[in-house]
Amino acid sequence: MTSSSADSRSFGPDQIEAMIPHRQPMRLIDEVVELTESTIHARKTFSPDDFFVQGHFPEVPLVPGVIQCECCLQAGAVLLSSHTPDAGDFIPVATRMDSVKFKKMVRPGDTVEIHVTLKERLANAFFLSGKMLLSGKTTTRLEFACSITSPPKSAPPESDPAEKTDTLENNEATP
């Protein structure tokens, strides 16, 4: 994949979920409008039914700033998926957010444009900048870093609960 827009890709939720581990209700990107080697342009439409606006705030619902940041982080994860092992073989983890600024309120029903740029890579650390736009105006801006880690190994299967009960009963102190 090259960084020219002529070679860019666009796609929807199924392809996004093939690239990152996020799932509903926490997948916060609806579509990727454009993806190049170092940039992504994604889109999200917020719904009045989104769990995070139910109590934030009931009379004047707003999309929380942390959710706006998470949209940028997830767009960054999609961008990084082309720089990392196959999907499922890595987990993108946010390690830092700097210079976070909220400039305009985002409400249920709003469709935002999410732009993230990969600025630098040092081993498995990636440094990015993100911004979210509503009607062409910046709502959120941030610098952030992510690292790529392997998913944890599956925990060994638990033993039968009845065996644990027997063990506890057998190990009880006698009066």
Side-chain angles (χ1 to χ4, degrees):
M1 183 169 29
T2 67
S3 60
S4 74
S5 61
D7 294 332
S8 68
R9 300 182 291 158
S10 62
F11 43 85
D14 291 339
Q15 294 91 340
I16 292 166
E17 289 187 2
M19 299 172 89
I20 62 174
H22 306 79
R23 298 295 180 264
Q24 290 295 356
M26 277 305 295
R27 182 183 38 79
L28 299 174
I29 301 173
D30 294 335
E31 67 178 302
V32 171
V33 177
E34 181 178 34
L35 176 65
T36 70
E37 188 174 312
S38 61
T39 65
I40 185 170
H41 171 194
R43 189 172 288 136
K44 168 68 177 165
T45 300
F46 293 101
S47 166
D49 297 327
D50 287 331
F51 75 92
F52 44 80
V53 296
Q54 299 305 306
H56 193 267
F57 302 99
E59 299 301 317
V60 184
L62 297 174
V63 175
V66 68
I67 296 295
Q68 295 176 51
C69 290
E70 180 66 15
C71 289
C72 291
L73 295 171
Q74 287 186 23
V78 172
L79 174 60
L80 296 182
S81 70
S82 65
H83 296 268
T84 58
D86 292 333
D89 292 339
F90 76 97
I91 296 175
V93 178
T95 57
R96 177 172 61 198
M97 286 191 287
D98 294 315
S99 304
V100 178
K101 294 186 171 84
F102 302 107
K103 298 181 171 261
K104 185 172 172 49
M105 289 187 275
V106 179
R107 294 187 164 84
D110 288 343
T111 297
V112 295
E113 306 292 325
I114 305 156
H115 297 270
V116 174
T117 301
L118 174 61
K119 297 169 64 175
E120 185 177 5
R121 177 182 185 172
L122 298 171
N124 73 333
F126 298 83
F127 300 88
L128 307 102
S129 63
K131 67 180 176 180
M132 184 181 289
L133 301 144
L134 176 61
S135 301
K137 296 188 180 188
T138 301
T139 66
T140 309
R141 179 181 303 273
L142 69 151
E143 303 291 321
F144 62 101
C146 294
S147 67
I148 301 301
T149 64
S150 298
K153 302 286 185 226
S154 299
E158 276 194 35
S159 58
D160 183 353
E163 290 176 17
K164 285 186 176 180
T165 303
D166 290 340
T167 303
L168 291 175
E169 288 173 1
N170 293 336
N171 290 332
E172 289 181 316
T174 54

